Amino acid sequence: MSADELKEYLSVAVELVKEVGPAFKDGFWRKGRFSNTSDFAAEDKLGNEADCVTAVDRYIEKTIFARLRQIYPHHKLVGEESTAESGNGYVITDDPTWIVDPVDGTNNFVHHFPYTGISIGLAIGKEPVVGVIYLPILNELYTAARGSGAFLNGQKLPLIQPPSLTSPTSLSQCALVSEHGSDRSLKTMESRLGSFTRLLTDKQYGGGCLQNLRITGGACPDLTLVAKGSAELYWECGPHVWDFAAGVVILLESGGAVFDGAGWWGTDVPAEERVPKPLNIWNRKIAAVRYIPDLPGKPGSGRELQKQLVKELLEIVEDIHYTPDGVQ
């Protein structure tokens, strides 16, 4: 895949999010075509009271898919709303696959909380290579293509640079973003809250003494915060590929790193095997860390610190089983 081809794909994705941006804003502010409650039509998603879908989600996804089918008739399409409504029944291939979340953070969208946006990613050979996240209410457009860097409104990421951008050596120097998720079963909530408790608890009691835990309500804004340098880490079990495919490209191109997010707490994984594994975007478990500058006189130390922080994180968070995406 040439740089020129990736640049073309990126240009198309940017054009598409800008095309549907006005509809997104109309829906957020309940005006224009979505001025009436009946036009907005928020409803529980697949009977889950903790998750919802709106007419805006469906309109934006339908519009983006229609344009992509015109431009790339042989490419595959995976979208949150169409895929969820069909029971997640699709099989991943090596073909170019556009991965779309028309409204990431729909609950934020419904409640007028501005951390919500449109996400378009492109995977080739099952690996993400292009990512665009547009947060219209915040006027933030994040763009990235493999090998070409990541940008916010044309400014190269991360926004925060040394010496303001530090090189943390433990969780106690870090801010982490995560989500409580839409699965509100007692077992799942006990697991998540247990992980959050251990992350925040002082080290003398076996915790990580995390400096700050943030929940924004969406994987896309979470990953953009890490890519900007406004948070050190992102961890979550349960999000779907459309929640973070674009964000992964943006984070990697900003100098960050991504890993499998399956925690080791409560497992019998031997100490010598407790090494952060590469991320598979289809497995619904992710740990991500921002760009970390090398320590003075220690080339490559930034990359080692990224792995060190993720290892410390995975030691105290518990894995939650989810069926991978793209499995019939």
Side-chain angles (χ1 to χ4, degrees):
M1 183 61 54
S2 71
D4 286 342
E5 288 175 300
L6 291 178
K7 185 177 180 180
E8 176 198 320
Y9 292 141
L10 178 61
S11 177
V12 167
V14 169
E15 179 183 332
L16 289 175
V17 297
K18 288 183 176 179
E19 179 180 333
V20 297
F24 185 101
K25 291 179 180 178
D26 279 354
F28 186 89
W29 297 115
R30 315 296 196 269
K31 65 180 185 179
R33 75 177 74 221
F34 302 111
S35 58
N36 297 322
T37 302
S38 59
D39 296 328
F40 186 72
E43 61 188 60
D44 296 343
K45 183 183 288 186
L46 302 179
N48 183 356
E49 292 181 325
D51 202 0
C52 65
V53 60
T54 72
V56 186
D57 296 75
R58 295 189 174 110
Y59 172 81
I60 290 178
E61 184 170 305
K62 182 178 179 181
T63 301
I64 291 174
F65 275 15
R67 293 277 282 111
L68 286 173
R69 288 189 179 104
Q70 290 177 342
I71 304 169
Y72 304 113
H74 301 296
H75 287 193
K76 300 292 197 316
L77 305 176
V78 173
E80 176 174 12
E81 305 317 329
S82 56
T83 301
E85 290 172 3
S86 65
N88 199 27
Y90 66 97
V91 177
I92 56 173
T93 70
D94 288 333
D95 295 336
T97 302
W98 293 91
I99 304 166
V100 177
D101 190 343
V103 180
D104 180 73
T106 303
N107 281 333
N108 287 351
F109 184 83
V110 169
H111 292 281
H112 302 286
F113 190 64
Y115 285 87
T116 175
I118 307 155
S119 173
I120 300 180
L122 174 65
I124 298 177
K126 303 186 183 71
E127 295 293 329
V129 294
V130 167
V132 172
I133 292 175
Y134 181 34
L135 308 179
I137 310 306
L138 299 176
N139 192 32
E140 294 182 351
L141 176 63
Y142 296 85
T143 60
R146 179 177 287 181
S148 298
F151 301 86
L152 165 57
N153 296 340
Q155 185 173 352
K156 191 171 177 59
L157 296 174
L159 291 186
I160 317 301
Q161 292 289 329
S164 297
L165 191 71
T166 60
S167 300
T169 58
S170 74
L171 290 181
S172 61
Q173 300 167 333
C174 294
L176 178 141
V177 280
S178 188
E179 300 298 328
H180 49 60
S182 58
D183 179 357
R184 303 300 171 80
S185 66
L186 181 60
K187 181 179 179 181
T188 297
M189 292 310 301
E190 286 179 340
S191 175
R192 287 193 197 282
L193 293 176
S195 292
F196 291 160
T197 298
R198 287 187 296 276
L199 283 167
L200 290 166
T201 299
D202 195 284
K203 289 188 176 182
Q204 66 175 314
Y205 304 112
C209 199
L210 187 71
Q211 199 166 60
N212 185 276
L213 174 64
R214 302 167 182 168
I215 295 177
T216 71
C220 286
D222 287 349
L223 282 163
T224 62
L225 286 169
V226 179
K228 279 196 295 188
S230 298
E232 278 68 44
L233 294 156
Y234 164 65
W235 168 76
E236 192 176 359
C237 288
H240 289 279
V241 66
W242 48 78
D243 292 313
F244 57 77
V248 163
V249 185
I250 294 165
L251 178 64
L252 289 173
E253 288 300 314
S254 73
V258 293
F259 302 91
D260 182 274
W264 303 315
W265 177 266
T267 71
D268 57 1
V269 176
E272 64 271 15
E273 295 180 17
R274 296 193 174 200
V275 178
K277 297 178 181 178
L279 173 71
N280 180 333
I281 64 167
W282 310 93
N283 278 351
R284 304 183 61 188
K285 300 171 186 183
I286 179 172
V289 57
R290 68 160 167 83
Y291 164 72
I292 295 181
D294 289 340
L295 296 170
K298 296 184 177 180
S301 58
R303 287 296 183 188
E304 290 304 314
L305 285 172
Q306 288 176 327
K307 295 177 184 177
Q308 177 182 316
L309 291 173
V310 170
K311 183 179 187 299
E312 187 179 351
L313 167 71
L314 296 179
E315 291 281 7
I316 54 178
V317 297
E318 184 177 14
D319 187 23
I320 303 174
H321 172 73
Y322 286 97
T323 301
D325 285 329
V327 177
Q328 287 279 31

